[in-house]
Each structure stands twice: as structure tokens, then as C-alpha cells.
Amino acid sequence: MLPCRQFRNPEGAIACPVEFTLDVIGGKWKGVLLYHLMDEKKRFNEFRRICPGITQRMLTLQLRELEEDGVVHREVYHQVPPKVEYSLTEFGKTLIPIIKLMRDWGEVYKTK
């Protein structure tokens, strides 16, 4: 295995680049949300239908973190009823190859 090139994390400790990646896409739901955003934008309730196991609070938190990291764009339409759409930013689109590799790996793994 190749050694990890080391960087400093925000706290100043030495960290591996994989740690930075997992900081952004790690967790139970972020990868799933990004997977569903690869092809088209989604509304909040669409995520609720696609991922029935996620609570409303957790979905809000995960989307907010992805937005704060610059991966997801949140577009608010000022209308009645209110409409909010989520899409990948240009930076977020750089994660598509990683998400596709995770999908492919999952397809192989689930058959074992």
C-alpha cells in the first residue's frame, strides 16, 4: 500500500488526504445524497421518498454540511408554497467519479 501523503487538518494535526475526503462525504447518508444528485437536482421531499430511512432532522443536517463544504448548492424559490432545490456545485461534480466507483464497488460487494 502506498503511504498517505500527510497534510495538516484545520486543528493543525497531521492528517491523510483520505481523512479530508471522508470529512466531506463520510457518514451514512452523504454518499447516498450525492449519488442521487449526480444526474439531476432534487427537492427536499424527493430525498425523503428516495431515502425513507433518514429522519428529517438528519437530512437537513447532512444537506447543510454538504452546502457548507461547497459540494451542494441550495436554491430557494420565493413562491407559495416555498420551493427549495439541491444540486451539485462544480466542486461537487468533481466527486462524481468517486461516487460512481463506490456504486460499482457496492454492486460487486452486495453479490458476495
Side-chain angles (χ1 to χ4, degrees), residues 77-83:
Y77 297 90
H78 299 286
Q79 63 185 45
V80 177
K83 177 181 172 183

Side-chain angles (χ1 to χ4, degrees), residues 10 13 18 25 31 33 51 59 73 86 98:
V18 173
I25 66 170
L33 299 175
C51 309
L59 178 57
H73 172 72
Y86 295 89
I98 296 168

Side-chain angles (χ1 to χ4, degrees), residues 14-111:
I14 293 178
C16 173
V18 173
E19 183 179 342
F20 288 106
T21 305
L22 291 176
D23 254 4
V24 175
I25 66 170
K28 182 175 180 178
W29 296 106
K30 287 182 183 177
V32 175
L33 299 175
L34 293 171
Y35 173 75
H36 290 293
L37 283 172
M38 283 193 316
D39 297 322
E40 62 184 4
K41 54 184 116 183
K42 296 278 188 282
R43 293 178 66 180
F44 189 85
N45 283 331
E46 287 181 89
F47 282 123
R48 296 288 312 271
R49 282 191 293 278
I50 293 168
C51 309
I54 190 170
T55 65
Q56 183 168 336
R57 180 178 182 280
M58 182 56 69
L59 178 57
T60 300
L61 289 172
Q62 298 286 273
L63 288 169
R64 189 173 295 148
E65 287 178 14
L66 289 168
E67 184 181 7
E68 289 170 1
D69 287 331
V71 174
V72 167
H73 172 72
R74 181 177 184 260
E75 183 73 32
V76 179
Y77 297 90
H78 299 286
Q79 63 185 45
V80 177
K83 177 181 172 183
V84 177
E85 289 181 335
Y86 295 89
S87 60
L88 291 178
T89 62
E90 287 305 311
F91 176 60
K93 289 177 184 176
T94 64
L95 292 167
I96 289 175
I98 296 168
I99 301 300
K100 285 183 176 180
L101 286 170
M102 290 170 60
R103 176 201 60 200
D104 295 347
W105 186 88
E107 287 292 332
V108 171
Y109 180 75
K110 76 178 185 183
T111 62

